[in-house]
Amino acid sequence: MRSPGRHRHLPALARLVIVALLLAALIGGTSAVDGYGRARRQRMKNKVLEMFYHAYDNYMTYAFPHDELKPLTKSFTDSLSELGNLNLEHLPQDYNGSALTLVESLSSLVVLGNLTEFERGVLWLSENLTFDVDARINLFECNIRLLGGLISAHVLAKEYSNQLKDGLYQDQLLHLAESLGNRFLPAFETPTGLPYAWINLKYGVMENETTETSTSGCGSLILEMGVLSRLTGDSRYEAAALRALRKLWSLRSSLNLVGTTLDVLTGKWIEYSSGIGAGVDSFYEYLIKAYILFGSDEYWDMFHSAYLAVQKYFRHGPWSTLLPGTSFHLSCQSLEYHEADMRTGEATHWQLTSLQAFWPGLQTLLGDVTAANLSHREFYNLWQRFGVLPERYLLDYGMLHPTEKYYPLRPEFAESTFYLYQATKDPWYLEVGEAIVGSLNYYSKVDGGFASVRDVSTMELEDHQHSFFLSETCKYLFLLYDDSFLRNQNYIFTTEGHPLPIRSTWHEKFPATHVPSNWTFVKDESQPIRVSALSSQVCPETIFRQIVGSPWESACHVPDSYASHRCRIDDDCGIEAVTCKKRTCSMAGYCGLWLVIY
């Protein structure tokens, strides 16, 4: 056993083991002892199934093979060229869609257990889909939706090949993914290595193309392109994405903060204000997930520095809320997150956005469950107030943003609810899931599918069913009530909800025996279930001061169960205050950050 501070290479391996144990505690089989009840869980599972198929069947009836469904008029939109294109510029004339929603739905069909429809979709795409089209697309959106969807579906088709009826799958989706990846590469041919935000699938980078891109647009490509390289043996995809990520990180400020937009030719920042929301969110998400997927210490070093900077400069307080159904106020240091200038750390915009709702899920993945509980509560308060989650809420004015009152069926709040339930087994999160399902059915369900909400103050609807409603929102809600897909499996989800396998052979830095064989298997049901701070109706900071005696503790700190640091199981151990890493129980019965030797 070694302490993590002794040598540089030991912490990396120890962190891999720790993250593995965290994932093992997070994702796994549902338990009947959480107080929710099997019948109630089955009823909610069926409701989510009905939602998915109502959306999917209407897409297949009225929109397929075009990109997305318009549920109010029961028609379609070829929206791939419109994603991220706020001004709707340079729209193609002869583009007839890429079956975007079908590609996005494939992994969900497997999660729901419908291999028949999955195989039907795979065969259609294998015979009909082509990317040799004159269409200008957003690299980031096309990467997470189409490339991610194809790669994930390819892996699932290989893993479930013995259960497919015809058994005709011969890597067709991988070939399509490779074709798409090849069309991405010209975007990276810049002096900085940062990719253009826009590229024409047939002709490459267009003349006089804009050089502005977002942090997410050049820092959230490594999962899909890295896996494509490992599946094809062609290193160019991962090399391009990694070069862009390294360049982006080199442009951070002395505070370890990044901005929102920058120029791909000069590397100069255009927008210095930043946060954890739009334009930046998946940058943080992909750093920690790339570390889990590929095991490189470089990703952890970037993420750890970036995470601590977020906690230092974007958090603010104080905060108080009334717990539902009680007269008890829970008052703690706030875990709302504002935006700040990357150069000074000074606050710029005091707002809560729907895209920020992914953050509690990321914190849960990291093991920072107490902080995740509190920030999740902020979003739940807004959901209860409006019935759905508005795109932007101004904290300093206590009001909706005047032009961003919409809710396009986003999945981030459901995603974080799923992760927090897996971490705590607290049935309160299943009830939150009920609220989400109830709102979606009440406000957004129409005869032709599920419509986005144009204005949360009036609940006026918009004629658009985004593909991520099927790839993420429905998937995470289903997994909340039935996670059998994840049992004995090793997956990490992309920012678009597509599962990618975690394989020891992809951890090139370490021998295969050093990588745990099962990253997503649940802890034994006989192990104690920790109740969240919210359910206990106490502030974590209050507990910390009583036990540790310190006037302040970091948001991620969870003390060991016993002051002696003795333990019987991993659940007796807490989370380190400085490193935010989960402590585990050694064979000798003490909590610590232990290096596991196989």
Side-chain angles (χ1 to χ4, degrees), residues 490-516:
N490 304 314
Y491 294 112
I492 198 75
F493 291 102
T494 70
T495 196
E496 196 72 5
H498 297 302
L500 297 175
I502 301 171
R503 295 174 175 172
S504 60
T505 53
W506 291 357
H507 286 252
E508 298 171 355
K509 189 172 180 179
F510 306 109
T513 54
H514 284 170
V515 181

Side-chain angles (χ1 to χ4, degrees), residues 167-189:
L168 298 178
Y169 184 70
Q170 297 178 339
D171 297 344
Q172 297 98 315
L173 297 187
L174 180 59
H175 299 323
L176 283 169
E178 191 172 12
S179 171
L180 188 57
N182 288 332
R183 297 170 193 277
F184 285 176
L185 291 178
F188 294 86
E189 296 174 3

Side-chain angles (χ1 to χ4, degrees), residues 134-187:
D134 182 6
R136 175 181 178 265
I137 54 90
N138 182 279
L139 179 66
F140 167 74
E141 293 288 356
C142 198
N143 175 72
I144 64 172
R145 298 195 193 208
L146 274 182
L147 184 60
L150 290 170
I151 289 174
S152 178
H154 161 73
V155 171
L156 294 172
K158 299 290 281 188
E159 291 184 354
Y160 288 85
S161 59
N162 62 339
Q163 299 181 44
L164 300 180
K165 277 186 179 180
D166 296 331
L168 298 178
Y169 184 70
Q170 297 178 339
D171 297 344
Q172 297 98 315
L173 297 187
L174 180 59
H175 299 323
L176 283 169
E178 191 172 12
S179 171
L180 188 57
N182 288 332
R183 297 170 193 277
F184 285 176
L185 291 178

